Every structure is written in C-alpha cells, then in structure tokens.
Amino acid sequence: MTAFSLVYTLHVLSALVWVGGMFFAWMVLRPAAMKALEGPGRLKLWVEVFQGFFRWVWVAVVLLPISGVGMIHLQFAGFEMAPRYVQVMMGLYLVMTALFIRIQALLLPQLRTAVTAQDWPAGAAVLGKIRRLVGINLIVGLVLVAIAAARPMF
C-alpha cells in the first residue's frame, strides 16, 4: 500500500462515517423513531444517538483535514498546485464543521437540559433546530461527496 492510498483510504472512510451517519439518521432512524416512540422516548433516544455519533464525527473532523492536507502534498506538491475543486471541498468542510460545532456546543446541551428537566416542549423545539441543521449539513456533505467523485475542473 502506498502512502497516498493509505491517506486516501482514511479520508474516504472519515467522510463515509460522517456523511453516511447523517444520511442514516435523517432518512432511516428519524422516521422510524417518529413511528415507534412517543415524544419523551424519542427525545431520550436522540440524546443518546447524538452522544455516540458525535464521538465518531470528531474523529472525522480531525482525520479529514490531516488526510486532506496529506493528499494535497503527496499528489499536488502543495496548495498552490491543487485544483479548484479541492479548494471548494476544503471550504465545504469548514461549513460542515461549523454547523457540527454549533449543534454539539450549543444545541445538544440545551436538548440534554430539556430532557433532564422533562421539559418535552422545549426539547422538541431544540430537536427541531438540530434536525434542520443536520439536514443542511447532510446536503452540504452530499454536495461535497459529489464534487469529490466528479472532480470538476472549474
């Protein structure tokens, strides 16, 4: 295995964990939870899901720029030689990371507080905000993956 293939594999797996996890949560887990659980149970489930999933997202948040910069230096001999699509991917990564940090640092504590206090209306309101931001992040992530796959030359 070459150095590039190792770095590339870490990069792809990190993106897969993050974007794939959001896709699963949005498209599969959320509808199932809506059908199977009442409000309080659903809110408790999401607190646990976010805690577990966010540990893996942090791994991706750390590995993606490390592996990305590694690939840039291995394949393009520096940032100046990298194609524009790589720069776009870096910008979208920053957007995704900012949205993720907003969810984890600001909204997840509010959700935990509401669930602990059994304030179900407040918890539902916070979960709605989280759901919208995760939806936006999922769209950004899917666009990023499409750009990575297509490698457009703009």
Side-chain angles (χ1 to χ4, degrees):
M1 179 177 269
T2 66
F4 183 82
S5 63
L6 175 63
V7 172
Y8 182 73
T9 300
L10 285 172
H11 197 75
V12 170
L13 289 174
S14 297
L16 178 65
V17 165
W18 191 357
V19 177
M22 288 189 299
F23 184 88
F24 172 77
W26 184 267
M27 301 301 291
V28 179
L29 183 58
R30 183 177 155 268
M34 293 288 289
K35 288 180 184 176
L37 298 170
E38 297 296 320
R42 196 167 45 242
L43 292 170
K44 291 175 184 177
L45 170 73
W46 281 111
V47 167
E48 295 302 319
V49 166
F50 290 138
Q51 285 179 198
F53 178 55
F54 287 178
R55 282 187 217 111
W56 289 103
V57 174
W58 275 114
V59 171
V61 164
V62 169
L63 285 178
L64 283 166
I66 292 170
S67 58
V69 169
M71 287 190 300
I72 286 170
H73 287 289
L74 288 169
Q75 188 171 13
F76 304 115
F79 292 102
E80 301 81 24
M81 302 303 291
R84 181 140 335 208
Y85 76 86
V86 172
Q87 297 165 7
V88 170
M89 289 171 59
M90 291 167 62
L92 293 176
Y93 163 82
L94 292 174
V95 170
M96 289 183 67
T97 301
L99 288 170
F100 165 66
I101 290 171
R102 178 172 174 78
I103 293 166
Q104 189 186 21
L106 300 177
L107 297 176
L108 186 56
Q110 291 176 18
L111 180 60
R112 270 196 220 107
T113 299
V115 168
T116 300
Q118 297 184 354
D119 186 350
W120 310 124
V126 174
L127 185 59
K129 292 176 186 178
I130 292 172
R131 179 180 51 86
R132 281 187 290 280
L133 289 179
V134 169
I136 292 166
N137 225 9
L138 174 58
I139 291 168
V140 173
L142 291 172
V143 167
L144 200 156
V145 168
I147 290 169
R151 298 178 183 182
M153 291 298 168
F154 23 57

